[in-house]
Structures are given as C-alpha cells and as structure tokens.
C-alpha cells in the first residue's frame, strides 16, 4: 500500500477531555448552552465622505451580522457623520461587530451605548381617514402629529422608542394602514457622556483577559 | 511612440537657468517638478522608494504609463493583469515592501480582482492603481467603465476614488502607507483619466496613513504579566506561529523565546519558515494537511501561545475539538482577530515582535515541560512523513520535492499553485528561513505560483534560487507569463508535478464521492517541456527516478526560466488529512480512516 502513512489509527490515539462551543470558548460539555442573543445600539463616528455608508452596510452583510436598523446623518462637525446601528447578536458577535467596524479606515470611533442611552425613531404612518375622530384620539395617545390630511387619508408622525412606535402601529392598524415609513433608531448617550468621542478608550480587559462590556440588555425607554 | 523624454533642457528652461543665480551649479539634479496628476502619482511611488511595478497598459491608465516612461521605476509588462496582481503580492511577501500593480479600467481592473482577494485573505501588502473613465463619464456605463471601488471594497483593506489632480499623489502615498502599516493588506486607488491628465503643481507630501487609522504596538502590560504566569506554570505549552510572525518580522524573537524556554513550535501554512523545520522543537505545519505530530501537539497542549494567526478553519478543523484543553494566549496586531474564531483567555493586541519581547522580559522561569517535550518527540517518531518509492510505480511527487530541496540552498524561495503539489511542497521541503515560502493560503488560488515566482525573483537576492512547484492544472491557468520570464530573462525553475489530474479534487472524489471523477481527469495534458521551449524557456522532462537528480541539476544550472515536466504517480494522495470541520487529533493517515 503506497497510499497514506504509518502510525496509530485515530481510535488508538489518546483524546483530550475538553471541548469548545461554536464561539470557540472552552466549555463544560455537561452544561453546554447557546449564548444568549441581545439587542444593542452601536454608534460610530465616521468621516463624512462618499462610500462610508456602503462600506459599513457591506461589512455587516458580508459578515452576516444580524442588523435591525442603520441610520446615518450629519453631526455638530460638518466633516463627521454619525452612523447608528441596532444589532441583535450574542456577546462574541457584538464584540466582533464593534471591532470590525472600528477597522474600517473612515471610521473614527465606535461605541456600544449604555442601556439608558436616549434612543428615538421617527415614523410616518398613512391610514384611511374613515373615522377621523378615532384617528385623532390614537394620534394624541401616542403624542403624534397629523402632518397631512385628505378626505381619504391621514398621515401621522410618531416619534419615540422602537417599542412605542411599534405599539402605535398596532393601535393605528384598526383604521387600515396604507403605508409606513420608519427612519430606524438614532441615539445619543446621556448627560456629559460622549456618544463616540474622537479619542475612544481602548477595549478594557479584566486581569484574566476577558473584555469588560456592559452585560445588561437595553430596556427601551421613552 | 510617445514623445521621448527631454534629456536636455528646453529653451525655456535654459532661459530660466540663466536668470537664476544658483550658487551651486553642480548640485545633484533634483527631480523635475510635477506638472500633471499622473506625474504626481509616479512621484508618490518614487518618494516611497518603489523599484518595480507590474501591469498591463490600456486606455484609461495611459497618462500614468506616460509619466512612468520618465521614471527609474522598472515596469514589468505582464501577459495578464491577474499575473500582475500575483507578482506584486509575491514581491510584497519576499521584500516586505508593498508590491505595485497597474491596470486599466474595466477588464484590466476586474482582472486584478483575484489577486487582490488573495492578498486580502493573506494580509499581503499590495497597492493597485487602476485607470478609470473620465470623471464626467462615471456612472454612464462608458466604454470600459466598471465600478472598481465598488467591486473591490470587500477585498481590499482600503480603496479610494481619486477625484482631484492636486491630491491624487497624496492618495497614492496614503494607499502605500496603509498597505504596509499595522496588519498589511491590499489597497487600491482608482484614477479617472481626467484627474491624471489634468495640470497640477502639487508635489505629493509624505506618505502617511489617515489620522483615523491607528495601530497599537504594545500589549497591555497587565495581560502580558498574566500570560507570562500562565506560560511559567504550563505543563504542556505550545507555540503556534501564524503568518503575522513573518509579516511582523518576529521570527527571530519567536525563535529565541521558544528555544530559551524549550517550548515546541507548530506553524500555520503562511508561517512556514518562521521557525526552522529542522530544529528539534519544530512540530512543523499544523492543520488539514499538517503533520500528525503538530496536530497531536495542538490537540493536547494546555497553553497555546498563538502569534499572528487568524485561526482559519483549515488550521482549526472543527472549532469544538480545537486545542480543547488549552488556555489561549493570542498575540495579534488586529484586535478583530482576537476571539473571532477561538476565544483568547489572554488577548495581547500589538506588534508580534514587540509583544513577544514583552512576554520574553516577563517570563522568569521556563515551564517544567520535560515530559511534554518527550511526548512531542514520541509523536514525531510515531507519525513519520515517510513514503515508499517502489521501482515499478511512477515517480512519487514527494521524492521530486525532496530532490529539489536538496539541490538548492537554505534560502531558496518556493512558490506554488494550489492543490496536492502545494501540500507536498509544504510537507517535504524543509524550510528554515522566513520569506522563503510564497503561496496562496486563504484564497487557495490556482494559477498563483508562476506569476508569484516572477515577483519573488525580482524581490529576491541574486543568490536565492526561485523554485515554482506547480500542478499541471494550476500551471495551465497562468503559464502565459512564461513570455514575461523569457523576455526579462528571469532565473526561475518551474517543477510541474504532473499527475494529469486536478489531483486534489480527484483525491476528495475518491474519499467523499465514491470515486466518481467528475471533471477532474484530463486524460490528456500538453507537453509542458515543449511548451516551455516554444516560449523560449528551457524544457525538461522526468519519467523515472534515475532522471530526477540530473534533470534538476541541469534545470537549476540554466540561467533563465526553465520548466521540468515531472510525470509523477497520478494515484498519490496527500496525508495526513483532517477532513473539513474534523477533529485535528483524529487526522486520517489513509483513505479508510476518513
Ligand atoms: C482558481 C481555482 N479554481 C478552482 C479551484 C479548486 N481546486 C482546488 S485544487 C484543484 C486541483 C488543482 O490541480 P493541479 O494544479 O493539477 O494540482 P494537483 O492537485 O493535481 O497537484 C482545484 C480545481 C481552485 N483552488 N482555484
Ligand atoms: Mg495535477
């Protein structure tokens, strides 16, 4: 037999006891559990130049990060834009997303926002205006604003957290929804805290090497 | 024919000279001032010391070539832009400086794509300059218009569409700096024809990375201390060197650390040569076709010191069974590689050489790992990479690889295609020096080997032989570059391990598809030795063992490109083998173990 090599067969070899999970973390096989997925908001300060948005969206689709919304807009500095991403990933996935984002050359800084950060989105919702009084009542209930009204339709603007906007959609659905357009979430950190500063602090590690990251789930505020 | 470069000053310049009261008329002639965007592009390359560029002419890049005409940069016209991209890639690997490739817009640029993707996967420093249709025509589907920055965004480290003749030179300088700063990679500058033709007097400034780009050189000292304590107390420590060790010129530091503390060393494929494979501590290459002993060591170590590796799946096999007892110390310049595939208990972000030195300074006593080292040696004798050479069977490819290794110096450079021949070139050649192994690892690009040999030849020292180990299938993909090697009289020896199969596919079909050889058999193959002669190179052929030594010697003696068509055993297979996603410790030594 000239095919192959000599040596103990696979079943004759010693085998190690340990195992890793799909994220490459060593685990106790007895208590193996899938890591929990959480939703979080990532804010990136980027140079305001053509192509940045496609770099970022391309990165997220190529690496199969689970992305819920992506918004982009100008900032206080005309040479900088802010991209706000809402992603849903397990812990290692969130860390990867932040690091990959930071690697793009036009990205200046990246920060995962604390659970108490201010998060808002804007929705335009167009409904049938067959029951104008009821529409007005629901609009008021959600702090909405009627921005267009015709005999057939009413278009209402609602702003707030994702939960609030979703609840509003639910409430308006009784009138027959014609069209919806939502901006996706934009966000800022509270108080003195910079959302994504020019000089970001490097990832901090515990002495054993695990990165210190907020573990809490974002509770949508309003 | 374009206008010849003015070797004498124009009357206008002479008048200017007369007027000037230059105190030192004999001073070094300074470069002519830049007058166009294209000249600024070439000046930017000259400023960073570029010596070679590889490319193919064409409409949109003509202004750049016209400026190149007056430059000392030596341009090598390739047969195909793919060849230019691989030549630039190999030039980058061997020299440590970015390789430059040029192409026109549209098909020229798309022909570079494979080479850029290859360089991106392997973090090789390459700068691509592509022509583009004039700015005002962009977006109109003009002749030879392709959205080159769009196409190459996912396969470059950075790319840019240059829109201003005043800054185009700075864009090129920045692309060069980015390609070689931090984790290297390919960059691209797209050059619209109007931008390169337009007037500018702007001399490109110093080549530098943008302010938004920063690189961490030194690792967090606290984590270094924790990692050092772990190394000191390890029972079964193992070094795993990755391509970053070569890129970061950290071979000497790793060598010293490993030998000082007697820690066995395995490498990934891109790190071949980072540690001398003839050293007692060397376990050689790990992974899918790595040695049995390297894979046993990885599977059973308790402390893995991984430097400059991205834990590619061809290395790890199934994640669940990769070094499952090991705490991982991971050194990498790219923070995104830390805990991407394998969780690192000790993340050390920084430059490989710097961080290994930090660790060296911190480790006070060697791990007590005598038993472990003995175990590693035992695995070496239990799983030898031996093969038989029965006289009644065709020549074994492994034998040919060993014969060429023996006939060449330690510093000989090996380039390869992709397939079985590539794996034999890994396994049966003994590498002892960094930057002598030049191959396509992450992308696995057939056709890489020969154009890579051209780039390697131009980057190598004269006394380094350049050997291109090819498969018959891989060589057919880019062998037209022989025309270039002959024209430039490049001393390259091609060894085609000709099995008249796309052999790696045939091996997998035998193992996993019941031997159904769908589209893997040629049944016919050109005579590569005669083809070589037709190009003007020297051709040789090997059919028997007794021809091997003399033929290899004759081919090496020839001062110019030569091709040995070595007819080898078509049934030979590559072992050991860990099937995709398999357990490294359960590598197969024969087909029935798969
Ligand atoms: C560009 C490209 N196309 C297809 C493949 C898939 N592939 C991997 S190995 C291989 C066979 C290579 O044949 P050859 O160059 O003769 O090498 P051998 O395995 O016979 O030594 C093929 C087709 C590839 N890696 N690259
Ligand atoms: Mg073949």
């Amino acid at each position: 037999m000239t095919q192959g090599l000599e040596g103990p067969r696979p079943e004759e070899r010693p085998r190690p006891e340990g195992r890793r999970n799909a994220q490459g973390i060593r685990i106790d096989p007895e208590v193996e559990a899938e890591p929990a997925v959480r939703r979080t908001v990532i804010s990136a300060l980027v140079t305001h130049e053509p192509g940045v948005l496609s770099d970022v969206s391309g990165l997220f689709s190529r690496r199969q990060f689970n992305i819920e919304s992506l918004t982009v807009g100008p900032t206080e500095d005309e040479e900088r834009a802010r991209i706000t991403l809402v992603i849903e990933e397990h812990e290692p996935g969130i860390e990867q997303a932040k690091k990959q984002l930071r690697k793009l050359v036009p990205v200046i800084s990246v920060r995962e926002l604390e659970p108490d950060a201010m998060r808002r989105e804007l929705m335009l919702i167009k409904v049938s205006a067959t029951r104008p009084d009821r529409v007005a009542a629901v609009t008021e209930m959600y702090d909405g604003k009627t921005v267009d009204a015709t005999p057939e339709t009413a278009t209402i603007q609602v702003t707030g957290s994702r939960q609030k906007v979703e609840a509003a959609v639910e409430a308006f659905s009784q009138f027959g929804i014609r069209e919806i357009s939502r901006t996706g979430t934009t966000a800022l950190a509270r108080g003195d805290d910079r959302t994504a500063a020019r000089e970001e602090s490097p990832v901090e590690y515990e002495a054993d090497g695990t990165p210190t990251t907020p573990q809490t789930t974002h509770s949508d505020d309003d | 024919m374009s206008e010849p470069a003015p070797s004498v000053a124009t009357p206008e310049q002479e008048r200017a000279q007369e007027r000037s009261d230059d105190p030192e008329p004999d001073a070094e002639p300074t470069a002519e001032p830049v007058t166009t965007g294209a000249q600024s592009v070439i000046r930017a390359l000259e400023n960073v010391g570029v010596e070679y560029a590889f490319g193919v002419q064409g409409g949109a890049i003509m202004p750049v070539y016209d400026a190149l005409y007056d430059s000392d940069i030596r341009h090598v016209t390739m047969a195909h832009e793919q060849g230019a991209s691989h030549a630039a890639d190999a030039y980058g690997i061997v020299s440590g400086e970015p390789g430059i490739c040029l192409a026109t817009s549209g098909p020229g640029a798309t022909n570079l794509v494979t080479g850029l993707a290859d360089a991106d996967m392997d973090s090789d420093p390459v700068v691509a300059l592509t022509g583009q249709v004039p700015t005002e025509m962009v977006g109109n589907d003009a002749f030879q218009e392709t959205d080159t920055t769009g196409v190459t965004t996912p396969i470059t480290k950075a790319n840019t569409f240059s829109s201003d003749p005043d800054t185009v030179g700075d864009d090129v300088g920045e692309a060069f700096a980015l390609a070689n700063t931090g984790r290297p990679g390919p960059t691209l500058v797209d050059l619209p024809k109007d931008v390169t033709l337009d007037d500018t007097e702007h001399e490109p400034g110093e080549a530098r990375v943008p302010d938004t780009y920063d690189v961490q050189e030194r690792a967090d000292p606290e984590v270094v201390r924790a990692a050092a304590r772990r190394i000191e107390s390890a029972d079964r420590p193992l070094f795993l060197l990755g391509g970053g060790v070569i890129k970061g010129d950290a071979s000497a530091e790793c060598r010293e650390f490993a030998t000082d503390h007697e820690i066995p060393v395995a490498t990934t494929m891109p790190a071949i040569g980072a540690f001398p494979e003839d050293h007692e501590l060397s376990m050689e290459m790990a992974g899918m076709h790595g040695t049995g002993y390297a894979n046993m060591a990885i599977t059973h170590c308790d402390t893995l010191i991984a430097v400059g590796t991205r834990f590619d799946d061809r290395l790890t096999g199934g994640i669940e069974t990769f070094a499952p007892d090991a705490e991982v110390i991971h050194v990498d310049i790219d923070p995104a590689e830390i805990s991407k595939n394998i969780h690192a208990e000790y993340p050390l972000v920084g430059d490989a050489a710097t961080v290994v030195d930090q660790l060296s300074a911190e480790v006070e006593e060697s791990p007590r790992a005598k038993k472990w080292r003995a175990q590693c040696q035992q695995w070496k004798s239990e799983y030898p990479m031996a093969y038989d050479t029965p006289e009644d069977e065709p020549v074994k490819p492994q034998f040919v690889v060993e014969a060429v290794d023996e006939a060449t110096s330690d510093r000989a450079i090996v380039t390869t295609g992709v397939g079985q021949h590539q794996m034999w070139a890994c396994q049966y050649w003994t590498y002892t020096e960094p930057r002598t192994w030049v191959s396509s690892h992450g992308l696995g690009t057939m056709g890489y080997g020969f154009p890579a040999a051209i780039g390697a030849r131009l980057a190598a020292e004269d006394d380094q032989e350049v050997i291109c180990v090819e498969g018959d299938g891989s060589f057919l993909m880019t062998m037209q570059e022989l025309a270039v090697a002959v024209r430039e009289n490049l001393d390259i020896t091609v060894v085609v391990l000709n099995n008249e199969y796309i052999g790696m596919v045939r091996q997998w079909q035998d193992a996993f598809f019941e031997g159904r050889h769908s589209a893997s058999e040629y049944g016919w193959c050109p005579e590569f030795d005669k083809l070589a002669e037709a190009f003007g190179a020297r051709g040789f052929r090997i059919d028997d063992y007794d021809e091997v030594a003399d033929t290899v010697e004759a081919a090496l003696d020839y001062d110019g490109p030569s091709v040995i068509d070595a007819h080898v055993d078509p049934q030979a297979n590559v072992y050991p083998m860990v099937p995709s996603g398999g357990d490294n410790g359960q590598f197969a030594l024969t087909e029935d173990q798969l």
Side-chain angles (χ1 to χ4, degrees):
Chain A
M1 181 72 183
T2 60
Q3 298 286 333
L5 300 167
E6 307 273 309
R9 300 176 55 82
E11 62 275 14
E12 296 161 2
R13 300 175 201 151
R15 298 186 84 145
E17 288 182 354
R19 257 191 119 62
R20 293 179 187 273
N21 67 9
Q23 285 70 44
I25 302 168
R26 286 194 306 137
I27 45 158
D28 179 351
E30 305 288 300
V31 293
E32 184 170 359
E34 273 296 297
V37 165
R38 67 183 173 94
R39 176 186 298 137
T40 192
V41 180
I42 293 173
S43 182
L45 197 64
V46 303
T47 45
H48 207 337
E49 64 185 34
V52 184
L53 186 58
S54 83
D55 282 2
V56 170
S57 59
L59 169 73
F60 275 72
S61 75
R62 178 157 40 97
R63 295 210 177 253
Q64 298 199 17
F65 293 128
N66 225 332
I67 176 171
E68 200 179 85
S69 73
L70 184 162
T71 67
V72 62
T75 64
E76 71 282 3
D77 178 345
E78 64 178 29
E79 285 175 10
R80 309 261 182 266
R82 184 180 306 287
I83 294 181
T84 307
L85 295 132
V86 180
I87 65 168
E88 217 172 47
E89 279 289 333
H90 49 63
E91 203 56 47
I94 291 171
E95 284 308 308
Q96 252 304 292
K98 291 194 300 200
K99 291 191 217 168
Q100 292 292 349
L101 195 54
R102 182 62 190 88
K103 246 170 82 167
L104 297 176
V105 174
V107 172
I108 299 159
S109 67
V110 174
R111 178 166 158 193
E112 182 180 353
L113 295 186
E114 268 67 44
D116 72 345
M118 298 165 289
R119 278 153 293 136
R120 293 290 182 277
E121 75 166 290
L122 182 148
M123 167 174 74
L124 293 175
I125 182 166
K126 192 185 286 181
V127 296
S128 300
T130 40
R131 289 143 70 198
D133 293 356
R134 296 278 305 132
V135 170
V138 173
T139 302
E140 194 179 332
M141 207 170 114
Y142 286 94
D143 269 342
K145 216 173 126 186
T146 305
V147 288
D148 182 47
T150 68
E152 288 81 33
T153 66
T155 303
I156 298 99
Q157 165 195 315
V158 179
T159 56
S161 69
R162 199 178 71 99
Q163 264 110 333
K164 176 182 161 189
V165 168
E166 258 150 37
V169 172
E170 182 72 32
F172 279 112
S173 65
Q174 53 178 306
F175 309 119
I177 295 171
R178 299 272 187 107
E179 275 184 312
I180 290 180
S181 182
R182 291 169 62 170
T183 58
T185 300
T186 190
L188 278 182
R190 278 189 191 275
D192 259 355
D193 217 359
R194 296 295 300 270
T195 302
R198 176 67 193 85
E199 297 300 333
E200 87 207 277
S201 56
V203 183
E204 307 241 325
Y205 297 101
E206 309 278 8
D208 74 345
T210 44
T212 54
T213 46
Q215 298 292 321
T216 36
T217 311
H218 281 259
S219 61
D220 271 320
D221 63 307
D222 192 18
Chain B
M1 199 61 206
S2 50
E3 282 280 296
S7 54
V8 291
T10 60
E12 217 168 304
Q13 286 169 326
E14 272 169 8
R15 279 194 298 277
Q17 182 65 43
E18 280 161 22
R19 276 197 305 272
S20 84
D21 45 0
D22 189 346
E24 282 175 277
D26 294 335
E28 277 276 298
T30 50
E32 295 277 319
V34 157
T35 61
T36 64
Q39 285 177 4
S40 177
V41 167
I42 299 301
R43 182 60 46 80
L45 296 179
E46 290 167 344
N47 287 349
V48 290
V50 168
E51 289 178 45
Y52 290 96
F54 306 88
V56 180
Q57 260 277 23
I61 194 79
M62 282 180 74
V64 176
Y65 270 96
D66 189 60
L68 190 59
Y69 199 65
D70 296 327
S71 171
D72 289 337
I73 295 173
R74 190 166 146 207
H75 180 263
V76 180
T77 297
M78 302 295 286
H80 189 294
E81 291 87 351
Q82 182 186 350
S85 61
H86 294 326
D89 180 282
Y91 185 90
I93 294 174
V94 175
S95 71
E97 288 292 314
I100 313 292
C101 54
L102 281 84
T104 192
S105 63
T110 57
N111 276 350
L112 291 179
V113 163
T114 302
L116 294 176
D118 190 288
D120 196 48
M121 284 293 250
D122 285 353
S123 306
D124 294 329
V126 170
V127 177
L129 304 178
T130 49
Q132 185 53 278
V133 301
T135 317
E136 60 171 32
M137 293 170 84
V138 167
N140 292 342
D141 303 325
F143 178 64
Q144 295 194 326
E145 180 187 355
T146 295
D147 175 7
T148 303
T149 48
V151 168
T152 57
T153 292
I155 52 164
T156 49
K157 180 174 171 183
N159 67 21
T160 189
F161 177 92
S162 256
S163 52
D164 183 347
D166 288 344
T167 51
V168 66
D170 293 329
D171 289 346
V172 171
E174 181 178 293
F176 190 93
L178 272 172
N180 216 18
T181 305
R183 181 180 182 170
T187 58
L188 178 143
V189 186
D190 205 24
L191 303 165
K193 196 170 182 177
D194 55 325
V195 171
T196 50
L197 279 176
D198 273 358
D199 293 343
T200 179
E201 287 172 5
H202 185 90
E203 294 284 337
E206 195 194 335
R208 48 195 290 268
V209 298
D211 293 342
T212 58
Y213 186 83
D214 47 35
V215 179
Q216 186 178 328
E217 298 282 335
R218 291 180 72 79
D220 181 340
E222 213 168 301
V223 187
V224 171
R225 273 194 291 279
R229 298 296 88 78
R230 174 68 203 185
I231 293 171
E232 287 164 349
S233 62
D235 292 325
R236 306 188 303 277
L238 180 71
F239 254 110
L240 174 65
L241 307 185
V245 172
I246 307 238
K247 308 253 138 65
D249 288 318
S251 304
E253 286 78 0
C254 291
R255 219 173 270 206
E256 196 183 307
F257 190 109
T259 48
D260 278 0
H261 298 289
E262 293 184 278
I263 298 171
V265 181
T267 73
T268 67
M269 188 161 61
I272 285 177
F275 190 80
E277 293 186 322
D278 53 3
H279 195 284
E280 199 190 0
L281 289 169
S282 174
M283 307 305 281
E284 300 165 47
M285 181 178 84
M288 180 176 275
H289 290 300
T291 62
Y293 31 102
N295 284 332
M296 288 303 277
I298 284 216
T299 304
H300 293 277
C301 67
D302 73 350
T303 306
L304 188 65
I305 313 161
V307 188
T309 171
R310 61 186 172 84
F311 291 107
D312 168 72
D313 57 275
R314 284 297 200 255
L315 166 75
T316 60
I319 292 290
E320 305 76 32
T321 47
F322 179 78
D325 287 345
E327 288 204 357
V328 175
I329 299 165
H330 191 180
V331 180
D332 208 290
I333 198 148
D334 180 357
E337 286 307 336
I338 307 271
S339 298
K340 183 184 82 177
N341 292 338
I342 297 293
H343 177 74
E345 278 83 0
Y346 305 90
L348 296 172
V349 177
D351 166 67
T354 310
V355 180
V356 171
D357 273 346
Q358 281 182 277
L359 273 173
S360 248
E362 194 61 50
V363 172
E364 272 155 17
E365 46 185 290
S366 301
R368 280 178 291 275
K370 205 164 155 200
K371 234 173 98 185
W372 167 245
R373 281 193 299 276
Q375 173 67 74
C376 287
Q377 292 309 320
Q378 192 187 327
W379 282 325
K380 279 193 178 184
S381 51
E382 269 179 4
Y383 301 100
M385 296 296 290
Y387 58 94
D388 292 331
T389 53
E391 282 295 333
D392 57 345
E393 288 180 21
V395 175
K396 297 296 170 201
Q398 299 95 322
F399 184 87
V400 177
V401 171
E402 287 186 334
V404 186
D405 184 14
E406 233 155 79
T408 49
S409 70
D410 280 352
R411 297 179 64 232
I413 292 171
V414 177
T415 76
T416 76
V418 168
Q420 292 181 312
H421 63 281
Q422 177 189 30
M423 295 304 136
W424 288 316
C426 292
Q427 295 175 333
Y428 291 95
W429 189 291
T430 305
Y431 299 87
T432 55
E433 297 283 337
R435 301 188 189 277
T436 57
W437 165 254
V438 180
S439 193
S440 170
H441 313 101
L443 200 66
T445 311
M446 285 172 73
Y448 176 84
F450 190 65
I454 293 177
R457 175 72 275 166
L458 292 171
E461 310 281 335
D462 286 347
D463 63 347
Q464 288 183 284
E465 304 93 329
V466 174
I467 310 298
C468 171
V469 177
E470 276 285 11
D472 40 276
S474 292
F475 194 36
L476 273 178
M477 287 202 177
T478 51
M479 70 171 301
Q480 73 275 23
E481 305 296 346
L482 265 175
V484 180
V486 171
R487 184 186 345 108
E488 304 278 333
N489 193 35
L490 301 178
D491 193 6
I492 296 167
T493 307
V494 182
V495 182
V496 184
L497 298 180
N498 187 349
N499 51 15
E500 298 197 13
Y501 268 111
I502 54 177
M504 188 55 96
V505 172
R506 195 268 307 146
Q507 177 173 343
W508 283 49
Q509 286 169 331
D510 287 344
F512 309 119
F513 292 89
E514 293 149 12
R516 289 153 56 86
H517 293 173
S518 178
S520 63
E521 272 179 32
Y522 295 121
W524 176 87
C525 211
E527 292 177 71
F528 290 107
D529 52 335
K530 293 191 179 152
L531 212 37
E533 297 277 348
F535 273 100
R538 287 293 300 275
F540 300 89
R541 183 181 164 116
I542 289 176
D543 290 288
D544 287 307
Y545 282 110
D546 56 14
E547 297 166 342
V548 174
D550 290 349
T551 311
V552 167
E553 199 184 305
L556 287 171
D557 276 351
Y558 178 64
D559 185 17
S562 58
V563 175
I564 303 174
D565 188 5
H567 286 257
V568 296
D569 184 1
Q571 300 308 323
N573 282 339
V574 183
Y575 286 104
M577 178 173 185
V578 181
S580 302
D583 176 343
N584 273 346
Q586 296 286 294
F587 53 85
L589 295 167
T590 55
E591 190 176 295
D592 67 300
Q593 292 174 13
L594 278 169

